[in-house]
Amino acid sequence: MARDRAGAARAQWEAEIPGLELLPMEVLGRLAEATHLARSTFLLPVFTEFGLKPGEFDVLMTLRRSGAPYALTPTELYNTTMITSGGMTARLDRLEKAGLIVRNPHETDRRAVQIALTPKGKELIDRMLPVHLAAQRKAVTGLDEAEQRALADLLKKLIAGLPPK
């Protein structure tokens, strides 16, 4: 089992300054550690295997799940991915150079562009998706299905209670 860094930090703080309200720190610390461990152990190897960086994968997956014609504006991509707007242009440049996306003129706004998945990009994501889902399943095997659903519901509630970015 992974080391419980949040629990260790809590014990240290309790010894140093008894009486602090540490539960929120413990919850967020464990959430951050779980995300880090799942990502580094299970997900990053999949991205590497397919020659993508995590943000590039997120862009391609967002385009793929948007449905045909698999095209979104940069703003739509930014709003539906977990990527900062500052990093979006560089990612799009790399994906375009690899032939996985194209920038097309927007159908109704001459000033805008649409980012579209190429057939090569769609084929890559369609091959990658089952491998990615299998890695995610491995990452949560410590929880049974009911626990996974409960955690997903609790995280949804936590996110809903946070201010929008």
Side-chain angles (χ1 to χ4, degrees), residues 102-164:
V102 292
R103 289 176 167 106
N104 292 323
H106 194 278
E107 296 172 356
T108 59
D109 184 349
R110 291 187 333 192
R111 297 166 297 161
V113 297
Q114 283 195 311
I115 309 304
L117 201 56
T118 64
K120 180 180 175 182
K122 182 179 179 294
E123 185 272 330
L124 175 66
I125 285 302
D126 287 353
R127 274 190 303 116
M128 193 174 178
L129 183 57
V131 179
H132 179 68
L133 292 173
Q136 289 180 323
R137 274 191 299 282
K138 285 180 187 174
V140 297
T141 57
L143 302 174
D144 65 32
E145 187 174 338
E147 290 168 328
Q148 290 175 40
R149 288 185 195 286
L151 181 57
D153 289 343
L154 288 170
L155 291 172
K156 180 179 179 181
K157 184 176 181 179
L158 174 65
I159 291 166
L162 296 172

Side-chain angles (χ1 to χ4, degrees), residues 79-91:
N79 288 332
T80 56
T81 61
M82 296 181 205
I83 301 170
T84 64
S85 61
M88 185 62 77
T89 300
R91 283 182 182 90

Side-chain angles (χ1 to χ4, degrees), residues 3-83:
R3 184 173 157 225
D4 181 13
R5 295 181 199 191
R10 178 187 185 110
Q12 290 172 324
W13 280 116
E14 286 174 341
E16 281 297 310
I17 308 173
L20 292 175
E21 173 48 51
L22 300 170
L23 185 57
M25 180 198 72
E26 192 173 4
V27 168
L28 295 176
R30 285 189 176 132
L31 183 59
E33 183 155 13
T35 300
H36 170 73
L37 290 171
R39 187 177 185 89
S40 62
T41 304
F42 297 101
L43 304 179
L44 287 178
V46 173
F47 302 145
T48 301
E49 175 185 343
F50 286 88
L52 292 176
K53 295 179 180 177
E56 295 166 348
F57 171 79
D58 199 16
V59 167
L60 295 176
M61 288 289 282
T62 300
L63 289 169
R64 177 64 176 96
R65 73 175 181 257
S66 72
Y70 313 113
L72 297 169
T73 66
T75 300
E76 290 169 328
L77 268 174
Y78 169 72
N79 288 332
T80 56
T81 61
M82 296 181 205
I83 301 170

